[in-house]
């Protein structure tokens, strides 16, 4: 019973870390998009990030918070692909599940 609880706790911790890291990467990517589109009006560019996320959410039918996840997955996918990881499709497809159909080449 204690082992099962420990395994469950590790899985939950791993899921939280994965969610936090992926959305952080997505947030940074949205900041880049907002900066390139000249949407930033303040130092933190929160309004530009919100505008970029809202646009992408409308375009793809997602919530703005889910846009951070999906953009983060896109960025991770690009990073993984640039390192020559050819057997990544199952992992990327799993991460794309909340986003809809993945765009795998």
């Amino acid at each position: 019973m204690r082992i099962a609880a420990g395994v469950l706790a590790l899985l939950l911790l791993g899921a939280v870390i994965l969610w936090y890291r992926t959305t952080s990467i997505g947030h940074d990517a949205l900041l880049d998009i907002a900066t390139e589109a000249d949407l930033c009006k303040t130092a933190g560019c929160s309004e530009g990030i919100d505008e970029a996320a809202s646009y992408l959410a409308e375009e793809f039918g997602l919530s703005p918070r889910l846009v951070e996840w999906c953009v983060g997955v896109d960025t991770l996918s690009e990073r993984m692909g640039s390192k020559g990881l050819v057997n990544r499709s199952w992992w990327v497809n799993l991460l794309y599940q909340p986003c809809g159909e993945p765009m795998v080449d």
Side-chain angles (χ1 to χ4, degrees):
M1 190 70 157
R2 296 182 109 194
I3 293 173
V7 169
L8 182 61
L10 284 175
L11 287 174
L12 283 172
L13 180 63
V16 168
I17 290 170
L18 176 67
W19 170 82
Y20 179 78
R21 182 70 180 136
T22 304
T23 56
S24 293
I25 290 169
H27 183 83
D28 292 344
L30 286 172
L31 176 60
D32 291 343
I33 291 168
T35 303
E36 289 176 18
D38 200 27
L39 300 173
C40 299
K41 296 178 182 34
T42 61
C45 192
S46 60
E47 72 289 337
I49 293 169
D50 290 344
E51 190 173 337
S54 293
Y55 173 79
L56 291 172
E58 230 176 271
E59 186 73 20
F60 295 103
L62 303 168
S63 72
R65 187 68 177 154
L66 191 55
V67 167
E68 280 188 357
W69 171 266
C70 297
V71 171
V73 173
D74 282 340
T75 305
L76 283 173
S77 175
E78 290 170 8
R79 288 181 187 173
M80 290 168 62
S82 69
K83 293 181 181 177
L85 298 174
V86 292
N87 195 9
R88 64 181 168 86
S89 62
W90 72 271
W91 177 245
V92 172
N93 287 339
L94 180 66
L95 295 178
Y96 269 118
Q97 286 300 313
C99 306
E101 289 296 314
M103 297 195 181
V104 178
D105 295 333

